[in-house]
Amino acid sequence: MSPRREPNPDIRRGRSVVYTLQAHLVFVPKYRRGVFTDEILTRCEEIMRQVCAKANVELREFNGERDHVHLLIHYPPQVKLSTLVGSLKGVSAHYLRKEYADHIKRYLWGEHFWSPSYFAASAGGAPLALVKEYIENQKRPG
């Protein structure tokens, strides 16, 4: 009888796949305006957690500063990263503009909230603890 190893929570199993896919994402508002407050970041995290849950994605870490947000996600291979990013940005923009309209109008005009670009990096190369620490140490306003 061979000894069994401790299960690794980072390794997930699907019907025909074993995986550990993680990505570090960074989104900035249009024109990199400093639109975020602590309250808005908290709400943005709630919205993004809901979007991730619907897509079977785990939002492991979230934080940001006045002009950008960081996410660390763990996602299955069936999820197309660009589609997930579109959903995260689209849904969050809709609700944040609706719920914080007066504040956001001071920083952003027109219909757009997020810049169309984003940063995405595989988080498997660097130790995850280092990426988590980096995100946790963002200078959150408030």
Coordinates of all heavy atoms in Angstrom, one line a residue, residues 54-118:
K54 N -20.0 33.0 -10.7 CA -20.8 32.5 -11.8 C -20.1 31.8 -12.9 O -20.6 31.0 -13.6 CB -21.6 33.7 -12.4 CG -22.8 34.1 -11.6 CD -23.5 35.3 -12.2 CE -24.6 35.7 -11.3 NZ -25.4 36.9 -11.8
A55 N -18.8 32.2 -13.1 CA -17.9 31.6 -14.1 C -17.1 30.4 -13.6 O -16.2 30.0 -14.3 CB -17.0 32.7 -14.7
N56 N -17.4 30.0 -12.4 CA -16.6 28.9 -11.8 C -15.1 29.3 -11.6 O -14.2 28.5 -11.8 CB -16.7 27.6 -12.6 CG -16.3 26.4 -11.8 OD1 -16.3 26.4 -10.5 ND2 -15.8 25.4 -12.5
V57 N -14.9 30.5 -11.3 CA -13.5 31.1 -11.1 C -13.4 31.5 -9.6 O -14.4 32.1 -9.1 CB -13.3 32.3 -12.0 CG1 -12.0 33.0 -11.7 CG2 -13.3 31.8 -13.5
E58 N -12.3 31.3 -9.0 CA -12.1 31.7 -7.6 C -11.3 33.0 -7.6 O -10.2 33.0 -8.2 CB -11.3 30.6 -6.9 CG -11.1 31.0 -5.4 CD -10.2 30.0 -4.7 OE1 -9.8 29.0 -5.3 OE2 -9.8 30.3 -3.5
L59 N -11.8 34.0 -7.0 CA -11.1 35.3 -6.8 C -10.4 35.1 -5.5 O -11.0 35.2 -4.5 CB -12.1 36.5 -6.8 CG -11.4 37.9 -6.6 CD1 -10.3 38.2 -7.6 CD2 -12.5 38.9 -6.6
R60 N -9.1 34.9 -5.6 CA -8.3 34.6 -4.4 C -7.9 35.9 -3.7 O -7.7 35.9 -2.4 CB -7.1 33.8 -4.8 CG -7.4 32.4 -5.2 CD -6.3 31.5 -5.1 NE -6.7 30.2 -5.1 CZ -5.9 29.1 -5.1 NH1 -4.6 29.3 -5.2 NH2 -6.4 27.9 -5.1
E61 N -7.6 36.9 -4.4 CA -7.1 38.2 -3.8 C -7.6 39.3 -4.6 O -7.6 39.3 -5.8 CB -5.6 38.1 -3.7 CG -5.0 39.1 -2.7 CD -5.4 38.7 -1.2 OE1 -5.2 37.6 -0.8 OE2 -5.8 39.7 -0.5
F62 N -8.0 40.4 -3.9 CA -8.4 41.6 -4.6 C -7.9 42.8 -3.8 O -8.1 42.8 -2.5 CB -9.9 41.7 -4.7 CG -10.4 43.0 -5.4 CD1 -10.7 43.0 -6.7 CD2 -10.6 44.1 -4.6 CE1 -11.1 44.2 -7.3 CE2 -11.0 45.3 -5.2 CZ -11.3 45.3 -6.5
N63 N -7.4 43.8 -4.4 CA -7.0 45.1 -3.8 C -6.8 46.1 -4.8 O -6.8 45.8 -6.0 CB -5.8 44.9 -2.8 CG -5.9 45.9 -1.7 OD1 -6.7 46.9 -1.7 ND2 -5.1 45.7 -0.7
G64 N -6.5 47.3 -4.4 CA -6.3 48.3 -5.4 C -5.8 49.6 -4.8 O -5.7 49.7 -3.5
E65 N -5.6 50.6 -5.6 CA -5.2 52.0 -5.2 C -6.2 52.9 -5.9 O -7.2 52.4 -6.5 CB -3.8 52.3 -5.6 CG -2.8 51.4 -4.8 CD -1.4 51.8 -5.0 OE1 -1.1 52.8 -5.7 OE2 -0.5 51.0 -4.5
R66 N -6.0 54.2 -5.8 CA -7.0 55.1 -6.4 C -7.2 55.0 -7.9 O -8.2 55.2 -8.4 CB -6.5 56.6 -6.1 CG -6.6 56.9 -4.6 CD -6.6 58.4 -4.4 NE -6.8 58.7 -3.1 CZ -7.9 58.8 -2.4 NH1 -9.0 58.6 -3.1 NH2 -8.0 59.1 -1.1
D67 N -6.1 54.5 -8.6 CA -6.2 54.4 -10.0 C -6.1 53.1 -10.7 O -5.8 53.0 -11.9 CB -5.2 55.4 -10.6 CG -3.8 55.0 -10.3 OD1 -3.6 54.1 -9.5 OD2 -2.9 55.6 -10.9
H68 N -6.2 52.0 -9.9 CA -6.1 50.7 -10.5 C -6.5 49.6 -9.5 O -6.6 49.9 -8.3 CB -4.7 50.3 -11.1 CG -3.7 50.2 -10.0 ND1 -3.1 51.3 -9.5 CD2 -3.1 49.1 -9.5 CE1 -2.1 50.9 -8.6 NE2 -2.1 49.6 -8.6
V69 N -6.9 48.4 -10.0 CA -7.2 47.3 -9.1 C -6.4 46.1 -9.6 O -6.0 45.9 -10.7 CB -8.7 46.9 -9.1 CG1 -9.5 48.0 -8.6 CG2 -9.2 46.5 -10.5
H70 N -6.1 45.2 -8.6 CA -5.4 43.9 -8.8 C -6.3 42.8 -8.4 O -7.0 42.9 -7.4 CB -4.1 43.9 -7.9 CG -3.0 44.8 -8.3 ND1 -2.0 44.4 -9.1 CD2 -2.8 46.1 -7.9 CE1 -1.1 45.4 -9.2 NE2 -1.6 46.4 -8.5
L71 N -6.2 41.7 -9.2 CA -6.9 40.5 -8.9 C -6.0 39.3 -9.1 O -5.2 39.3 -10.0 CB -8.1 40.3 -9.9 CG -9.2 41.3 -9.9 CD1 -8.9 42.5 -10.8 CD2 -10.5 40.6 -10.4
L72 N -6.1 38.3 -8.2 CA -5.5 37.1 -8.3 C -6.6 36.0 -8.4 O -7.4 35.9 -7.5 CB -4.6 36.8 -7.1 CG -3.8 35.4 -7.2 CD1 -2.9 35.3 -8.4 CD2 -3.1 35.2 -5.9
I73 N -6.6 35.4 -9.6 CA -7.7 34.4 -9.8 C -7.2 33.0 -10.1 O -6.1 32.8 -10.5 CB -8.6 34.8 -11.0 CG1 -7.8 34.9 -12.3 CG2 -9.3 36.2 -10.8 CD1 -8.6 35.0 -13.6
H74 N -8.0 32.0 -9.7 CA -7.7 30.6 -10.0 C -8.9 30.2 -10.9 O -10.0 30.2 -10.5 CB -7.7 29.8 -8.7 CG -7.2 28.5 -8.8 ND1 -7.8 27.4 -8.2 CD2 -6.2 27.9 -9.5 CE1 -7.1 26.3 -8.5 NE2 -6.1 26.6 -9.3
Y75 N -8.6 29.8 -12.1 CA -9.6 29.5 -13.1 C -9.5 28.2 -13.8 O -8.3 27.7 -13.9 CB -9.7 30.6 -14.1 CG -8.5 30.8 -15.0 CD1 -8.4 30.3 -16.3 CD2 -7.3 31.4 -14.5 CE1 -7.3 30.4 -17.0 CE2 -6.2 31.6 -15.3 CZ -6.2 31.1 -16.5 OH -5.1 31.2 -17.3
P76 N -10.6 27.6 -14.3 CA -10.5 26.3 -15.0 C -10.1 26.5 -16.4 O -10.2 27.6 -17.0 CB -11.9 25.7 -14.9 CG -12.8 26.9 -14.7 CD -11.9 27.9 -14.0
P77 N -9.6 25.5 -17.1 CA -9.1 25.6 -18.5 C -10.2 26.0 -19.4 O -9.9 26.5 -20.5 CB -8.5 24.3 -18.8 CG -8.9 23.4 -17.7 CD -9.3 24.2 -16.5
Q78 N -11.5 25.7 -19.1 CA -12.6 26.0 -20.0 C -12.9 27.5 -20.1 O -13.5 28.0 -21.0 CB -13.9 25.3 -19.5 CG -13.8 23.8 -19.5 CD -13.2 23.3 -18.2 OE1 -12.7 24.0 -17.3 NE2 -13.2 22.0 -18.1
V79 N -12.4 28.3 -19.1 CA -12.6 29.7 -19.1 C -11.6 30.4 -20.0 O -10.4 30.3 -19.8 CB -12.5 30.2 -17.6 CG1 -12.6 31.8 -17.6 CG2 -13.6 29.7 -16.8
K80 N -12.2 31.2 -20.9 CA -11.3 32.0 -21.8 C -11.0 33.3 -21.0 O -12.0 34.0 -20.6 CB -12.0 32.3 -23.1 CG -11.2 33.0 -24.1 CD -12.0 33.1 -25.4 CE -11.2 33.9 -26.4 NZ -12.0 34.2 -27.6
L81 N -9.8 33.6 -20.7 CA -9.4 34.7 -19.9 C -9.9 36.0 -20.4 O -10.4 36.9 -19.7 CB -7.9 34.8 -19.7 CG -7.3 35.4 -18.5 CD1 -8.0 34.9 -17.2 CD2 -5.8 35.3 -18.5
S82 N -9.9 36.3 -21.7 CA -10.3 37.5 -22.3 C -11.8 37.7 -22.1 O -12.3 38.8 -21.9 CB -10.0 37.6 -23.8 OG -10.5 36.6 -24.5
T83 N -12.6 36.6 -22.2 CA -14.0 36.7 -21.9 C -14.3 37.0 -20.5 O -15.2 37.8 -20.2 CB -14.7 35.3 -22.4 OG1 -14.4 35.1 -23.7 CG2 -16.2 35.4 -22.2
L84 N -13.6 36.4 -19.6 CA -13.8 36.6 -18.2 C -13.4 38.1 -17.9 O -14.2 38.8 -17.1 CB -12.9 35.7 -17.3 CG -12.9 36.0 -15.8 CD1 -14.3 35.7 -15.2 CD2 -11.8 35.2 -15.1
V85 N -12.4 38.6 -18.4 CA -12.0 40.0 -18.2 C -13.1 40.9 -18.7 O -13.5 41.9 -18.0 CB -10.7 40.4 -18.9 CG1 -10.4 41.9 -19.0 CG2 -9.5 39.7 -18.2
G86 N -13.7 40.6 -19.9 CA -14.8 41.4 -20.4 C -16.0 41.4 -19.5 O -16.6 42.5 -19.2
S87 N -16.3 40.3 -18.9 CA -17.4 40.2 -18.0 C -17.1 41.0 -16.7 O -18.0 41.7 -16.2 CB -17.7 38.7 -17.6 OG -18.2 38.0 -18.7
L88 N -15.9 40.8 -16.1 CA -15.5 41.5 -14.9 C -15.6 43.0 -15.1 O -16.2 43.7 -14.3 CB -14.1 41.1 -14.5 CG -13.9 39.7 -13.9 CD1 -12.5 39.3 -13.9 CD2 -14.6 39.6 -12.5
K89 N -15.1 43.5 -16.2 CA -15.1 44.9 -16.4 C -16.5 45.4 -16.8 O -16.9 46.5 -16.3 CB -14.1 45.3 -17.5 CG -12.6 45.1 -17.1 CD -11.6 45.1 -18.2 CE -11.2 46.5 -18.6 NZ -10.2 46.6 -19.6
G90 N -17.2 44.7 -17.6 CA -18.5 45.2 -18.0 C -19.5 45.2 -16.9 O -20.2 46.2 -16.7
V91 N -19.6 44.2 -16.1 CA -20.6 44.1 -15.0 C -20.2 45.1 -13.9 O -21.0 45.8 -13.4 CB -20.7 42.7 -14.4 CG1 -21.5 42.6 -13.2 CG2 -21.2 41.7 -15.5
S92 N -18.9 45.2 -13.5 CA -18.5 46.1 -12.5 C -18.7 47.5 -12.9 O -19.2 48.4 -12.1 CB -17.0 45.9 -12.1 OG -16.1 46.1 -13.2
A93 N -18.4 47.9 -14.2 CA -18.6 49.2 -14.7 C -20.1 49.6 -14.6 O -20.5 50.7 -14.1 CB -18.2 49.4 -16.1
H94 N -21.0 48.7 -15.0 CA -22.4 49.0 -14.9 C -22.9 49.3 -13.5 O -23.5 50.3 -13.3 CB -23.2 47.7 -15.4 CG -24.7 47.8 -15.3 ND1 -25.5 48.6 -16.1 CD2 -25.5 47.3 -14.3 CE1 -26.7 48.5 -15.7 NE2 -26.8 47.7 -14.6
Y95 N -22.5 48.4 -12.5 CA -23.0 48.7 -11.2 C -22.3 49.8 -10.5 O -23.0 50.6 -9.7 CB -22.8 47.4 -10.4 CG -23.9 46.4 -10.7 CD1 -23.6 45.2 -11.5 CD2 -25.2 46.5 -10.3 CE1 -24.6 44.3 -11.8 CE2 -26.2 45.6 -10.7 CZ -25.9 44.5 -11.4 OH -26.9 43.6 -11.7
L96 N -21.0 50.0 -10.7 CA -20.3 51.1 -10.0 C -20.8 52.5 -10.6 O -21.0 53.4 -9.8 CB -18.8 51.0 -10.2 CG -18.1 49.8 -9.5 CD1 -16.6 49.7 -9.9 CD2 -18.3 49.8 -8.0
R97 N -21.0 52.6 -11.9 CA -21.6 53.8 -12.4 C -23.0 54.1 -11.9 O -23.3 55.2 -11.7 CB -21.6 53.8 -14.0 CG -20.3 54.1 -14.6 CD -20.5 54.5 -16.1 NE -19.3 55.1 -16.6 CZ -19.0 56.3 -16.6 NH1 -19.8 57.2 -15.9 NH2 -17.9 56.8 -17.2
K98 N -23.8 53.0 -11.7 CA -25.1 53.2 -11.3 C -25.2 53.6 -9.8 O -25.9 54.5 -9.4 CB -25.9 51.9 -11.5 CG -27.3 51.8 -11.1 CD -27.9 50.5 -11.5 CE -29.2 50.2 -10.8 NZ -29.7 48.9 -11.1
E99 N -24.3 52.9 -9.0 CA -24.4 53.1 -7.5 C -23.6 54.3 -7.0 O -23.8 54.8 -5.9 CB -23.9 51.8 -6.8 CG -24.8 50.7 -7.1 CD -24.2 49.3 -6.6 OE1 -23.3 49.3 -5.8 OE2 -24.7 48.3 -7.1
Y100 N -22.6 54.7 -7.8 CA -21.7 55.9 -7.4 C -21.7 56.9 -8.4 O -20.6 57.5 -8.7 CB -20.3 55.4 -7.0 CG -20.3 54.3 -5.9 CD1 -20.3 53.0 -6.2 CD2 -20.3 54.7 -4.6 CE1 -20.3 52.0 -5.2 CE2 -20.3 53.8 -3.6 CZ -20.3 52.5 -3.9 OH -20.3 51.5 -2.8
A101 N -22.8 57.2 -9.1 CA -22.8 58.1 -10.2 C -22.3 59.5 -9.9 O -21.5 60.0 -10.7 CB -24.3 58.2 -10.7
D102 N -22.7 60.1 -8.9 CA -22.2 61.4 -8.6 C -20.7 61.5 -8.4 O -20.0 62.4 -8.9 CB -22.9 62.0 -7.3 CG -24.4 62.2 -7.6 OD1 -24.8 62.4 -8.8 OD2 -25.2 62.3 -6.6
H103 N -20.1 60.5 -7.7 CA -18.7 60.5 -7.4 C -17.9 60.3 -8.8 O -17.0 61.0 -9.1 CB -18.3 59.5 -6.4 CG -16.9 59.3 -6.2 ND1 -16.1 60.2 -5.5 CD2 -16.0 58.4 -6.7 CE1 -14.8 59.8 -5.5 NE2 -14.7 58.7 -6.2
I104 N -18.4 59.3 -9.5 CA -17.7 58.9 -10.7 C -17.7 59.9 -11.8 O -16.8 60.1 -12.5 CB -18.2 57.5 -11.2 CG1 -17.8 56.4 -10.2 CG2 -17.7 57.2 -12.6 CD1 -18.4 55.1 -10.4
K105 N -18.8 60.7 -11.9 CA -19.0 61.7 -12.9 C -17.9 62.8 -12.7 O -17.6 63.5 -13.7 CB -20.4 62.4 -12.8 CG -21.4 61.5 -13.5 CD -22.8 62.2 -13.3 CE -23.8 61.3 -13.8 NZ -25.2 61.8 -13.6
R106 N -17.4 63.0 -11.5 CA -16.3 64.0 -11.3 C -15.0 63.5 -11.9 O -14.1 64.4 -12.2 CB -16.1 64.2 -9.8 CG -17.2 65.0 -9.1 CD -16.9 65.3 -7.7 NE -17.2 64.1 -6.9 CZ -16.9 64.0 -5.6 NH1 -16.2 64.9 -5.1 NH2 -17.3 62.9 -5.0
Y107 N -14.8 62.3 -12.1 CA -13.5 61.7 -12.7 C -13.6 61.2 -14.1 O -12.7 61.3 -14.8 CB -13.1 60.6 -11.8 CG -12.7 61.0 -10.4 CD1 -13.7 61.0 -9.4 CD2 -11.5 61.5 -10.1 CE1 -13.4 61.4 -8.1 CE2 -11.2 61.9 -8.8 CZ -12.1 61.8 -7.8 OH -11.8 62.2 -6.5
L108 N -14.8 60.7 -14.5 CA -14.9 60.1 -15.8 C -16.2 60.7 -16.5 O -17.2 60.9 -15.9 CB -15.1 58.6 -15.6 CG -14.0 57.8 -15.0 CD1 -14.4 56.4 -14.7 CD2 -12.8 57.8 -15.8
W109 N -16.1 60.8 -17.8 CA -17.2 61.3 -18.6 C -17.5 60.3 -19.7 O -16.7 59.4 -19.9 CB -16.9 62.7 -19.2 CG -15.6 62.7 -19.9 CD1 -15.3 62.5 -21.2 CD2 -14.3 63.0 -19.3 NE1 -14.0 62.6 -21.4 CE2 -13.3 62.9 -20.3 CE3 -13.8 63.3 -18.0 CZ2 -12.0 63.1 -20.1 CZ3 -12.5 63.5 -17.8 CH2 -11.6 63.4 -18.8
G110 N -18.6 60.5 -20.3 CA -18.9 59.5 -21.3 C -19.4 58.2 -20.7 O -19.8 58.1 -19.6
E111 N -19.5 57.2 -21.5 CA -20.1 55.9 -21.1 C -19.0 54.9 -20.5 O -19.4 53.9 -20.0 CB -20.8 55.2 -22.3 CG -22.0 56.0 -22.8 CD -23.0 56.2 -21.7 OE1 -23.4 55.3 -21.0 OE2 -23.5 57.4 -21.5
H112 N -17.8 55.2 -20.7 CA -16.7 54.2 -20.3 C -16.3 54.4 -18.9 O -16.2 55.5 -18.4 CB -15.5 54.3 -21.3 CG -15.9 54.0 -22.7 ND1 -16.2 52.8 -23.1 CD2 -16.1 54.8 -23.7 CE1 -16.5 52.8 -24.4 NE2 -16.4 54.1 -24.8
F113 N -16.0 53.2 -18.2 CA -15.4 53.3 -16.9 C -14.0 52.8 -16.9 O -13.1 53.4 -16.5 CB -16.3 52.4 -15.9 CG -15.8 52.4 -14.5 CD1 -16.2 53.4 -13.6 CD2 -14.8 51.5 -14.1 CE1 -15.8 53.4 -12.3 CE2 -14.3 51.6 -12.8 CZ -14.8 52.5 -11.9
W114 N -13.8 51.6 -17.5 CA -12.5 51.0 -17.6 C -11.7 51.4 -18.8 O -12.3 51.5 -19.9 CB -12.6 49.5 -17.5 CG -13.1 48.9 -16.2 CD1 -14.4 48.4 -16.1 CD2 -12.5 48.9 -14.9 NE1 -14.6 48.0 -14.8 CE2 -13.4 48.3 -14.0 CE3 -11.3 49.3 -14.4 CZ2 -13.1 48.1 -12.7 CZ3 -11.0 49.1 -13.1 CH2 -11.9 48.5 -12.2
S115 N -10.4 51.4 -18.8 CA -9.6 51.5 -20.0 C -9.8 50.2 -20.7 O -10.0 49.1 -20.1 CB -8.1 51.6 -19.6 OG -7.3 51.4 -20.7
P116 N -9.8 50.2 -22.1 CA -10.0 49.0 -22.8 C -8.8 48.0 -22.6 O -9.0 46.8 -22.9 CB -10.1 49.4 -24.3 CG -9.4 50.8 -24.3 CD -9.6 51.4 -22.9
S117 N -7.7 48.4 -22.2 CA -6.6 47.5 -22.0 C -6.5 46.9 -20.6 O -7.2 47.4 -19.7 CB -5.2 48.2 -22.3 OG -5.1 49.3 -21.4
Y118 N -5.7 45.9 -20.4 CA -5.6 45.3 -19.1 C -4.2 44.6 -19.0 O -3.6 44.3 -20.1 CB -6.7 44.4 -18.7 CG -6.9 43.2 -19.6 CD1 -6.3 41.9 -19.3 CD2 -7.6 43.2 -20.8 CE1 -6.5 40.8 -20.1 CE2 -7.8 42.1 -21.6 CZ -7.2 40.9 -21.2 OH -7.4 39.8 -22.1

